Amino acid sequence: MKIFSWYGILRQVIVNTKTDKAFRGVIWKKTKDCIVLKNAEWLSVDGAKKIDGELIIFISEIDFIQAV
């Protein structure tokens, strides 16, 4: 699956997961199994909540990615 073929590292995105959670952040690193977001926020109906540290999301859990 080539979902990152046009995404560059250090690009701000919104990642929507298969569990209906959404995260905004900068793609810091990508591997064949996961992506790492820096400056990540969890987007919910209550607003954005800052996430400390780095957020690792497994590619198998990603529903779609929006470039912002």
Side-chain angles (χ1 to χ4, degrees):
M1 180 182 240
K2 290 192 166 200
I3 60 173
F4 300 109
S5 61
W6 61 274
Y7 284 98
I9 293 178
L10 300 179
R11 182 174 183 125
Q12 185 162 356
V13 296
I14 296 175
V15 179
N16 295 274
T17 65
K18 294 177 182 175
T19 57
D20 292 328
K21 291 189 171 119
F23 301 94
R24 178 175 42 220
V26 175
I27 296 179
W28 181 252
K29 184 177 180 180
K30 59 185 176 179
T31 68
K32 72 174 201 163
D33 296 329
C34 66
I35 62 171
V36 178
L37 297 182
K38 284 221 179 203
N39 299 325
E41 298 175 311
W42 172 39
L43 305 176
S44 70
V45 294
D46 298 329
K49 295 179 176 70
K50 183 93 170 120
I51 296 175
D52 292 333
E54 299 173 343
L55 176 65
I56 298 171
I57 303 174
F58 290 98
I59 291 174
S60 62
E61 296 300 316
I62 296 173
D63 193 15
F64 61 95
I65 296 176
Q66 299 167 268
V68 290

